[in-house]
Amino acid sequence: MALADAAIQGARARRAAGPEPERRAPLQSRKNEGAVDPKDPATWGRVSRNALCPCGSGKKYKHCHGKMD
């Protein structure tokens, strides 16, 4: 019963604290999207392993062109 009471008290405290701060969007690694040529990997810059591959295949980079690195 003590755990349930603690959970209720915690929920009340979070509600009394007010709204959560607004979350910011994550940083992007490439600044200039227009300069990326899907056919030329030299223009891609640094691509995150879990980002979609810039070649347009629809696969993650680590399963597409990232295998070559």
Side-chain angles (χ1 to χ4, degrees):
M1 208 53 169
L3 254 115
D5 289 337
I8 292 171
Q9 291 295 335
R12 286 182 183 155
R14 283 190 296 270
R15 253 187 273 141
E20 293 185 21
E22 184 177 322
R23 294 179 186 235
R24 296 190 306 182
L27 295 175
Q28 298 296 321
S29 60
R30 284 180 269 148
K31 304 255 190 269
N32 200 355
E33 286 291 328
V36 176
D37 180 15
K39 296 179 183 176
D40 184 14
T43 63
W44 295 350
R46 181 157 171 85
V47 181
S48 171
R49 285 178 41 83
N50 289 316
L52 290 177
C53 191
C55 74
S57 68
K59 296 179 182 180
K60 287 188 176 182
Y61 182 73
K62 65 184 176 184
H63 294 297
C64 191
H65 282 83
K67 283 186 174 181
M68 294 180 211
D69 292 343

